[in-house]
Amino acid sequence: MHIKKFHHHELLIDEFVTAPDQSWCVFGENHSGIDRFIELLSGKLTTYSVDILDLPKAPGIVSFRAQQELYENEIRNDDSDFLDKPDPGTLVREFLPGDPKAHLTLLDTFALSHCLDLGYRQLSSGQARKLLILCRLVQGVTTLILENPYDGLDEQSCQELNQILMRLPESNVEVVISVNTLSDIPAECSHLAIIKNGRMVLAGPRASVLSEENRLTGDGKPWLLAVADIFRNPSPRDAKQREELVYLRNGFAGYDGKSLFDHLDLTIFQGDHCLITGPNGCGKSTLLDIIIGDNPKCYANELRIFGRARGSGESIWEIKKDMGIVSPSLHREHRVPGSALQVVVSGLFDSIGIYQRAANAEIRTARSWLAWIGLASRADTPFRHLSFADQRLVLIARALIKGPKLLILDEPTQGLDDTNRHALLNLLEEIADRHVSTMLFVSHRRDEHRPFFRQHIHLDAYSA
């Protein structure tokens, strides 16, 4: 790969040269220009000037955009109505060319051997990411481009992925990884490039680039407003009140005869912020869907939400009006047209899309939230035209806008750089201190295990 004197209004590259025996990581914060770099490599960037542009032919791309496109294709081919039962989607084995047994080593390495007969929509977001990477590898691509490949993967999966990726140059497969979190820069990569403030400022052997520590991060500013400035007339919940929010006894979940977890007891009272961890595929998102009411197992379990037993005549809207939700599945479902402002406003109505007129005061509140996440100027931008990180920030504002009793956050920091990630975690700490909401938080990152979490559920301990 060879790029020389590249000029785009959001990215400048003096020269970038790679060799087949090298493994490259490219680091850049949100809005640094790294998104444009990935678009360039994938052939999606069209308006620029360049002296030399020698890019890989037909590279294997694994990105949030590619994962979303695959999901939307699965939705278009959904035959649930015809089958009169939920359509699991394309089976994992059908994604692999030839006999899946030929790929058993990779399947075992990615912990996907037991998933061969699962449909794509039955996979966790981390499993879906691993499947996409596996597909690119077995297709025999000569260049593999991975955007934030570690987001959504548990620690063991990250280590196993690194072991695979760093062996690929020996097979003449060029590897380029992009990350926006410093801790995600793999120790095994041979070369590192830094994109900062719209320019590739460093590129070379990993050790020499890391020695330029003061040039690694950009000038990204953390969110400036405190939560008190957003909740302008805050009505913190009484810290002494012990309202029951979630009650689950002997909880279980699974599909097609396979158990995800069993014998799970969980009680969350107001202020009992709960952290949920466990490996990919252990049922973390399924547990949250049961609590939210988006999984039919919510009726099979002994479950109370806000003190009311599920199946006692309540509607899903009665349940969700006191919830704020951020999750990979909610992110995937935002396929309807709408601006960033409309998505934030929709949080007041618990809908995907706006189907009723919002009051002027509600629109002003939504604009305040957009200002708070640094996206006031993008209020009228279509949600789907935003970068993945900006989409995630908009969904966070959507969840927080009504100061819900229960804030359900399933890996909310996916796609966020260190500045935005720690700003969100600091906000959550302030929300906990002010007793605004009670949080149910799923994370694979150890540095997100903040002291305000009073409960910690290791969900893999409940696997069958």
PDB file of all heavy atoms in Angstrom, residues 35-45 55-56 58-63 65 145:
ATOM      1  N   ASP A  35     -11.999   8.098  10.473  1.00  0.00           N
ATOM      2  CA  ASP A  35     -13.130   7.546   9.717  1.00  0.00           C
ATOM      3  C   ASP A  35     -12.926   7.743   8.211  1.00  0.00           C
ATOM      4  O   ASP A  35     -13.258   6.864   7.406  1.00  0.00           O
ATOM      5  CB  ASP A  35     -14.439   8.191  10.150  1.00  0.00           C
ATOM      6  CG  ASP A  35     -14.861   7.789  11.552  1.00  0.00           C
ATOM      7  OD1 ASP A  35     -14.431   6.707  12.007  1.00  0.00           O
ATOM      8  OD2 ASP A  35     -15.610   8.537  12.195  1.00  0.00           O
ATOM      9  N   ARG A  36     -12.374   8.900   7.835  1.00  0.00           N
ATOM     10  CA  ARG A  36     -12.113   9.145   6.417  1.00  0.00           C
ATOM     11  C   ARG A  36     -11.018   8.199   5.904  1.00  0.00           C
ATOM     12  O   ARG A  36     -11.056   7.772   4.744  1.00  0.00           O
ATOM     13  CB  ARG A  36     -11.678  10.605   6.201  1.00  0.00           C
ATOM     14  CG  ARG A  36     -12.635  11.658   6.706  1.00  0.00           C
ATOM     15  CD  ARG A  36     -13.935  11.708   5.901  1.00  0.00           C
ATOM     16  NE  ARG A  36     -14.889  10.726   6.357  1.00  0.00           N
ATOM     17  CZ  ARG A  36     -15.634  10.856   7.466  1.00  0.00           C
ATOM     18  NH1 ARG A  36     -15.507  11.919   8.242  1.00  0.00           N
ATOM     19  NH2 ARG A  36     -16.508   9.912   7.801  1.00  0.00           N
ATOM     20  N   PHE A  37     -10.049   7.885   6.749  1.00  0.00           N
ATOM     21  CA  PHE A  37      -8.980   6.969   6.355  1.00  0.00           C
ATOM     22  C   PHE A  37      -9.550   5.589   6.028  1.00  0.00           C
ATOM     23  O   PHE A  37      -9.204   4.980   5.012  1.00  0.00           O
ATOM     24  CB  PHE A  37      -7.942   6.881   7.471  1.00  0.00           C
ATOM     25  CG  PHE A  37      -6.788   5.970   7.154  1.00  0.00           C
ATOM     26  CD1 PHE A  37      -5.836   6.332   6.214  1.00  0.00           C
ATOM     27  CD2 PHE A  37      -6.653   4.750   7.792  1.00  0.00           C
ATOM     28  CE1 PHE A  37      -4.771   5.486   5.908  1.00  0.00           C
ATOM     29  CE2 PHE A  37      -5.595   3.899   7.503  1.00  0.00           C
ATOM     30  CZ  PHE A  37      -4.649   4.272   6.553  1.00  0.00           C
ATOM     31  N   ILE A  38     -10.444   5.093   6.882  1.00  0.00           N
ATOM     32  CA  ILE A  38     -11.066   3.787   6.637  1.00  0.00           C
ATOM     33  C   ILE A  38     -11.919   3.833   5.369  1.00  0.00           C
ATOM     34  O   ILE A  38     -11.923   2.888   4.573  1.00  0.00           O
ATOM     35  CB  ILE A  38     -11.906   3.355   7.846  1.00  0.00           C
ATOM     36  CG1 ILE A  38     -11.004   3.145   9.072  1.00  0.00           C
ATOM     37  CG2 ILE A  38     -12.691   2.092   7.548  1.00  0.00           C
ATOM     38  CD1 ILE A  38      -9.954   2.066   8.883  1.00  0.00           C
ATOM     39  N   GLU A  39     -12.626   4.945   5.153  1.00  0.00           N
ATOM     40  CA  GLU A  39     -13.430   5.082   3.933  1.00  0.00           C
ATOM     41  C   GLU A  39     -12.531   5.058   2.694  1.00  0.00           C
ATOM     42  O   GLU A  39     -12.895   4.480   1.665  1.00  0.00           O
ATOM     43  CB  GLU A  39     -14.235   6.379   3.976  1.00  0.00           C
ATOM     44  CG  GLU A  39     -15.403   6.345   4.949  1.00  0.00           C
ATOM     45  CD  GLU A  39     -16.173   7.654   4.967  1.00  0.00           C
ATOM     46  OE1 GLU A  39     -15.864   8.527   4.122  1.00  0.00           O
ATOM     47  OE2 GLU A  39     -17.062   7.807   5.812  1.00  0.00           O
ATOM     48  N   LEU A  40     -11.363   5.690   2.800  1.00  0.00           N
ATOM     49  CA  LEU A  40     -10.424   5.696   1.676  1.00  0.00           C
ATOM     50  C   LEU A  40      -9.972   4.274   1.346  1.00  0.00           C
ATOM     51  O   LEU A  40     -10.005   3.845   0.184  1.00  0.00           O
ATOM     52  CB  LEU A  40      -9.211   6.563   2.016  1.00  0.00           C
ATOM     53  CG  LEU A  40      -8.058   6.533   1.002  1.00  0.00           C
ATOM     54  CD1 LEU A  40      -8.492   7.134  -0.328  1.00  0.00           C
ATOM     55  CD2 LEU A  40      -6.834   7.258   1.556  1.00  0.00           C
ATOM     56  N   LEU A  41      -9.570   3.515   2.363  1.00  0.00           N
ATOM     57  CA  LEU A  41      -9.078   2.152   2.130  1.00  0.00           C
ATOM     58  C   LEU A  41     -10.179   1.245   1.584  1.00  0.00           C
ATOM     59  O   LEU A  41      -9.900   0.323   0.819  1.00  0.00           O
ATOM     60  CB  LEU A  41      -8.529   1.556   3.424  1.00  0.00           C
ATOM     61  CG  LEU A  41      -7.322   2.244   4.072  1.00  0.00           C
ATOM     62  CD1 LEU A  41      -6.752   1.363   5.181  1.00  0.00           C
ATOM     63  CD2 LEU A  41      -6.247   2.572   3.048  1.00  0.00           C
ATOM     64  N   SER A  42     -11.409   1.506   1.986  1.00  0.00           N
ATOM     65  CA  SER A  42     -12.514   0.645   1.553  1.00  0.00           C
ATOM     66  C   SER A  42     -13.128   1.092   0.229  1.00  0.00           C
ATOM     67  O   SER A  42     -14.075   0.472  -0.257  1.00  0.00           O
ATOM     68  CB  SER A  42     -13.602   0.602   2.631  1.00  0.00           C
ATOM     69  OG  SER A  42     -14.130   1.897   2.884  1.00  0.00           O
ATOM     70  N   GLY A  43     -12.614   2.184  -0.354  1.00  0.00           N
ATOM     71  CA  GLY A  43     -13.099   2.645  -1.643  1.00  0.00           C
ATOM     72  C   GLY A  43     -14.352   3.476  -1.587  1.00  0.00           C
ATOM     73  O   GLY A  43     -14.972   3.747  -2.624  1.00  0.00           O
ATOM     74  N   LYS A  44     -14.762   3.929  -0.399  1.00  0.00           N
ATOM     75  CA  LYS A  44     -16.005   4.695  -0.253  1.00  0.00           C
ATOM     76  C   LYS A  44     -15.772   6.206  -0.278  1.00  0.00           C
ATOM     77  O   LYS A  44     -16.725   6.977  -0.290  1.00  0.00           O
ATOM     78  CB  LYS A  44     -16.721   4.291   1.043  1.00  0.00           C
ATOM     79  CG  LYS A  44     -17.198   2.838   1.055  1.00  0.00           C
ATOM     80  CD  LYS A  44     -17.981   2.512   2.296  1.00  0.00           C
ATOM     81  CE  LYS A  44     -18.460   1.069   2.297  1.00  0.00           C
ATOM     82  NZ  LYS A  44     -19.411   0.784   1.210  1.00  0.00           N
ATOM     83  N   LEU A  45     -14.505   6.637  -0.255  1.00  0.00           N
ATOM     84  CA  LEU A  45     -14.194   8.070  -0.304  1.00  0.00           C
ATOM     85  C   LEU A  45     -13.882   8.428  -1.748  1.00  0.00           C
ATOM     86  O   LEU A  45     -13.070   7.762  -2.398  1.00  0.00           O
ATOM     87  CB  LEU A  45     -13.001   8.363   0.608  1.00  0.00           C
ATOM     88  CG  LEU A  45     -12.804   9.808   1.054  1.00  0.00           C
ATOM     89  CD1 LEU A  45     -13.964  10.270   1.913  1.00  0.00           C
ATOM     90  CD2 LEU A  45     -11.487   9.952   1.827  1.00  0.00           C
ATOM     91  N   LEU A  55      -3.728   1.275  -3.529  1.00  0.00           N
ATOM     92  CA  LEU A  55      -4.497   0.639  -2.459  1.00  0.00           C
ATOM     93  C   LEU A  55      -4.707  -0.839  -2.775  1.00  0.00           C
ATOM     94  O   LEU A  55      -4.673  -1.245  -3.935  1.00  0.00           O
ATOM     95  CB  LEU A  55      -5.863   1.328  -2.306  1.00  0.00           C
ATOM     96  CG  LEU A  55      -5.845   2.798  -1.898  1.00  0.00           C
ATOM     97  CD1 LEU A  55      -7.268   3.333  -1.805  1.00  0.00           C
ATOM     98  CD2 LEU A  55      -5.122   2.985  -0.570  1.00  0.00           C
ATOM     99  N   PRO A  56      -4.950  -1.645  -1.743  1.00  0.00           N
ATOM    100  CA  PRO A  56      -5.200  -3.078  -1.974  1.00  0.00           C
ATOM    101  C   PRO A  56      -6.481  -3.285  -2.767  1.00  0.00           C
ATOM    102  O   PRO A  56      -7.461  -2.569  -2.602  1.00  0.00           O
ATOM    103  CB  PRO A  56      -5.309  -3.658  -0.565  1.00  0.00           C
ATOM    104  CG  PRO A  56      -5.658  -2.488   0.310  1.00  0.00           C
ATOM    105  CD  PRO A  56      -4.985  -1.312  -0.301  1.00  0.00           C
ATOM    106  N   ALA A  58      -9.823  -5.239  -3.561  1.00  0.00           N
ATOM    107  CA  ALA A  58     -10.830  -6.072  -2.886  1.00  0.00           C
ATOM    108  C   ALA A  58     -10.401  -6.469  -1.477  1.00  0.00           C
ATOM    109  O   ALA A  58     -10.302  -7.658  -1.161  1.00  0.00           O
ATOM    110  CB  ALA A  58     -11.137  -7.312  -3.712  1.00  0.00           C
ATOM    111  N   PRO A  59     -10.121  -5.478  -0.608  1.00  0.00           N
ATOM    112  CA  PRO A  59      -9.733  -5.834   0.759  1.00  0.00           C
ATOM    113  C   PRO A  59     -10.914  -6.407   1.534  1.00  0.00           C
ATOM    114  O   PRO A  59     -12.078  -6.149   1.205  1.00  0.00           O
ATOM    115  CB  PRO A  59      -9.293  -4.488   1.355  1.00  0.00           C
ATOM    116  CG  PRO A  59     -10.113  -3.474   0.601  1.00  0.00           C
ATOM    117  CD  PRO A  59     -10.225  -4.032  -0.799  1.00  0.00           C
ATOM    118  N   GLY A  60     -10.610  -7.181   2.553  1.00  0.00           N
ATOM    119  CA  GLY A  60     -11.649  -7.656   3.461  1.00  0.00           C
ATOM    120  C   GLY A  60     -11.884  -6.619   4.535  1.00  0.00           C
ATOM    121  O   GLY A  60     -10.975  -6.318   5.316  1.00  0.00           O
ATOM    122  N   ILE A  61     -13.075  -6.027   4.570  1.00  0.00           N
ATOM    123  CA  ILE A  61     -13.387  -4.949   5.514  1.00  0.00           C
ATOM    124  C   ILE A  61     -14.267  -5.490   6.626  1.00  0.00           C
ATOM    125  O   ILE A  61     -15.292  -6.134   6.366  1.00  0.00           O
ATOM    126  CB  ILE A  61     -14.124  -3.782   4.815  1.00  0.00           C
ATOM    127  CG1 ILE A  61     -13.354  -3.314   3.582  1.00  0.00           C
ATOM    128  CG2 ILE A  61     -14.349  -2.649   5.800  1.00  0.00           C
ATOM    129  CD1 ILE A  61     -12.109  -2.560   3.849  1.00  0.00           C
ATOM    130  N   VAL A  62     -13.881  -5.223   7.868  1.00  0.00           N
ATOM    131  CA  VAL A  62     -14.741  -5.525   9.015  1.00  0.00           C
ATOM    132  C   VAL A  62     -14.921  -4.227   9.781  1.00  0.00           C
ATOM    133  O   VAL A  62     -13.972  -3.690  10.354  1.00  0.00           O
ATOM    134  CB  VAL A  62     -14.122  -6.609   9.924  1.00  0.00           C
ATOM    135  CG1 VAL A  62     -15.021  -6.851  11.133  1.00  0.00           C
ATOM    136  CG2 VAL A  62     -13.921  -7.905   9.163  1.00  0.00           C
ATOM    137  N   SER A  63     -16.141  -3.711   9.755  1.00  0.00           N
ATOM    138  CA  SER A  63     -16.428  -2.417  10.372  1.00  0.00           C
ATOM    139  C   SER A  63     -17.843  -2.430  10.914  1.00  0.00           C
ATOM    140  O   SER A  63     -18.631  -3.339  10.643  1.00  0.00           O
ATOM    141  CB  SER A  63     -16.292  -1.291   9.343  1.00  0.00           C
ATOM    142  OG  SER A  63     -17.262  -1.448   8.314  1.00  0.00           O
ATOM    143  N   ARG A  65     -20.080  -0.412   9.991  1.00  0.00           N
ATOM    144  CA  ARG A  65     -20.934  -0.227   8.820  1.00  0.00           C
ATOM    145  C   ARG A  65     -21.196  -1.568   8.125  1.00  0.00           C
ATOM    146  O   ARG A  65     -22.330  -1.880   7.755  1.00  0.00           O
ATOM    147  CB  ARG A  65     -20.288   0.755   7.843  1.00  0.00           C
ATOM    148  CG  ARG A  65     -21.163   1.073   6.627  1.00  0.00           C
ATOM    149  CD  ARG A  65     -20.375   1.886   5.618  1.00  0.00           C
ATOM    150  NE  ARG A  65     -19.991   3.178   6.148  1.00  0.00           N
ATOM    151  CZ  ARG A  65     -20.742   4.265   6.072  1.00  0.00           C
ATOM    152  NH1 ARG A  65     -21.925   4.197   5.491  1.00  0.00           N
ATOM    153  NH2 ARG A  65     -20.319   5.404   6.566  1.00  0.00           N
ATOM    154  N   ILE A 145      -8.780  -5.306   6.689  1.00  0.00           N
ATOM    155  CA  ILE A 145      -8.901  -3.997   7.332  1.00  0.00           C
ATOM    156  C   ILE A 145      -9.976  -4.087   8.403  1.00  0.00           C
ATOM    157  O   ILE A 145     -11.141  -4.371   8.102  1.00  0.00           O
ATOM    158  CB  ILE A 145      -9.244  -2.907   6.293  1.00  0.00           C
ATOM    159  CG1 ILE A 145      -8.121  -2.821   5.244  1.00  0.00           C
ATOM    160  CG2 ILE A 145      -9.442  -1.558   6.974  1.00  0.00           C
ATOM    161  CD1 ILE A 145      -8.456  -1.947   4.066  1.00  0.00           C
TER     162      ILE A 145
END
